[in-house]
Amino acid sequence: FTPLDSIISSWMDKGYYPGGAICVVKNDSVLFEKAYGSFTGDTKVYVASAGKWVAAAVIGAVVDRTDLSWDDPVEKWLPQFRGDAKGGILLRQLLSHTSGVRPYLPAPRVDNYNHLDSAVTEILPLDTVFTPGTRFEYGLAMQIAGRMAEVAMGKEFEPLFQELIAAPLGMTHSHFTPVNTDGGHAPMLGGGLCTTLNDYIRFLKMIYHNGRSGNREILKPETVQTMQADQVRNAVVAPGEYVEKALGQHHTGIYGLGEWRELVDEATGEAYQISSPGWAGAYPWINKRDGVYGFFIAHVQGEANKKDGFSSFYGSPVLSETVTKIVNQ
């Protein structure tokens, strides 16, 4: 694993990251694990969009346990959206960035509420930016999806995460709601997960085993399969999206529910490598063809895009590419 170690060490030497840690697992045996700088396996980091995968899994667990369905429109669970264009958006569109909900709140407003119901109230009057299902574009939509899950289960999102995912997997250092905040923050499903290397690896192991952790079912196998399936469908994907820019892949089925479909079998259309990279550098992935899953945790210093051309977001897949070369030698 010298080539992998060299890549990460060079990132540290150039000052991109103050520290980091990586773990690579094949068939549940650790192949390589190393911490850099001041990091350990239990260093807590906000992992930005790497949390989307986990947030979608929480909602998947609610789908498994309640009447909530991937094809439910927003207005079924949030009656305040009835008569609004956003009321007909489907849950699966909210989690696949094909909903048409705006990417961000208009400046200078920010989401600084304590609860998702308040966050959704702020989104309600905003116009959609395209017809649901017609385009792929990041947005605020996951907040609405989280609120639908809250209503369906009768609990707020952070307790749902702890009860359905974190506690059964032993993710004892992970949360979506910032601790000891003043001013309040709603759990930001798209980018607010704080976690550790050791915690997130437990999550990846569960997904790798199709929703099982030991003898316990965390997610139904069909739920994991749905999350990994092409949910972009007929929506237009603009040139230069992540999968093309970072991996040189030219397929349109680039996204499932809360996760990227990086590498796809051309014959079957099945994604054999899935991921959820964050802008700050955190990069979890599973390669089913290699039987490998791994996680690099870090948080970039300064801007994500450096003057020398390095990007903490688009540069991450070199890690999975390097691991694939190593395990297939």
Side-chain angles (χ1 to χ4, degrees):
F1 278 82
T2 302
L4 185 67
D5 183 35
S6 297
I7 291 168
I8 298 173
S9 294
S10 73
W11 292 347
M12 302 300 161
D13 293 343
K14 292 174 182 175
Y16 299 155
Y17 303 105
I22 190 167
C23 182
V24 179
V25 181
K26 180 177 173 66
N27 298 327
D28 294 337
S29 296
V30 175
L31 294 181
F32 180 72
E33 186 170 10
K34 185 174 178 179
Y36 302 81
S38 61
F39 273 55
T40 71
D42 291 323
T43 299
K44 295 177 71 171
V45 176
Y46 282 98
V47 294
S49 285
K52 285 181 167 67
W53 202 347
V54 180
V58 175
I59 295 168
V62 174
V63 168
D64 287 348
R65 290 163 174 79
T66 68
D67 292 333
L68 183 66
S69 163
W70 299 119
D71 290 310
D72 280 350
V74 171
E75 63 188 15
K76 178 178 177 179
W77 297 96
L78 306 180
Q80 65 267 41
F81 281 86
R82 287 179 189 148
D84 185 278
K86 294 182 288 296
I89 297 171
L90 307 181
L91 178 61
R92 69 171 72 243
Q93 293 172 328
L94 295 170
L95 294 172
S96 59
H97 307 297
T98 59
S99 69
V101 176
R102 282 175 175 265
Y104 301 101
L105 290 173
R109 287 144 64 184
V110 294
D111 184 356
N112 61 353
Y113 299 97
N114 283 305
H115 307 284
L116 279 182
D117 57 354
S118 300
V120 166
T121 298
E122 187 82 350
I123 295 168
L124 179 58
L126 302 178
D127 292 336
T128 52
V129 291
F130 57 84
T131 303
T134 62
R135 275 166 48 190
F136 173 89
E137 185 179 296
Y138 260 26
L140 292 163
M142 292 189 80
Q143 297 296 80
I144 302 173
R147 181 58 185 157
M148 290 169 72
E150 287 185 340
V151 173
M153 199 82 172
K155 294 182 180 180
E156 293 197 343
F157 192 82
E158 178 66 18
L160 287 177
F161 165 59
Q162 295 296 336
E163 175 187 332
L164 301 177
I165 303 292
L169 293 179
M171 298 173 69
T172 55
H173 301 294
S174 300
H175 56 82
F176 277 91
T177 305
V179 180
N180 297 326
T181 57
D182 46 5
H185 293 269
M188 190 167 71
L189 276 64
L193 177 66
C194 183
T195 190
T196 68
L197 176 74
N198 292 336
D199 275 12
Y200 207 109
I201 281 290
R202 292 184 176 99
F203 172 77
L204 290 176
K205 181 178 181 179
M206 179 270 291
I207 298 293
Y208 177 76
H209 287 286
N210 294 309
R212 296 198 71 82
S213 177
N215 59 2
R216 189 168 184 175
E217 184 177 84
I218 310 300
L219 294 171
K220 292 180 179 178
E222 54 267 33
T223 298
V224 175
Q225 189 174 15
T226 299
M227 290 172 63
Q228 295 176 4
D230 173 17
Q231 300 292 344
V232 176
R233 301 183 177 182
N234 296 320
V236 174
V237 177
E241 276 289 0
Y242 166 75
V243 169
E244 178 186 337
K245 189 170 180 178
L247 294 103
Q249 298 294 309
H250 294 275
H251 57 272
T252 56
I254 60 173
Y255 211 82
L257 300 175
E259 61 206 75
W260 292 94
R261 305 172 81 245
E262 289 192 345
L263 302 176
V264 175
D265 186 301
E266 291 184 9
T268 65
E270 181 183 346
Y272 63 89
Q273 183 163 298
I274 46 181
S275 72
S276 189
W279 75 266
Y283 177 64
W285 81 96
I286 296 173
N287 186 305
K288 295 189 280 186
R289 189 172 286 181
D290 294 338
V292 165
Y293 53 93
F295 184 44
F296 171 67
I297 190 168
H299 198 96
V300 70
Q301 290 184 310
E303 296 294 321
N305 298 314
K306 302 301 183 181
K307 292 180 180 179
D308 61 4
F310 175 78
S311 166
S312 56
F313 182 68
Y314 294 109
S316 297
V318 69
L319 301 176
S320 56
E321 291 169 7
T322 302
V323 169
T324 289
K325 290 175 183 175
I326 292 167
V327 300
N328 289 302
Q329 283 178 348

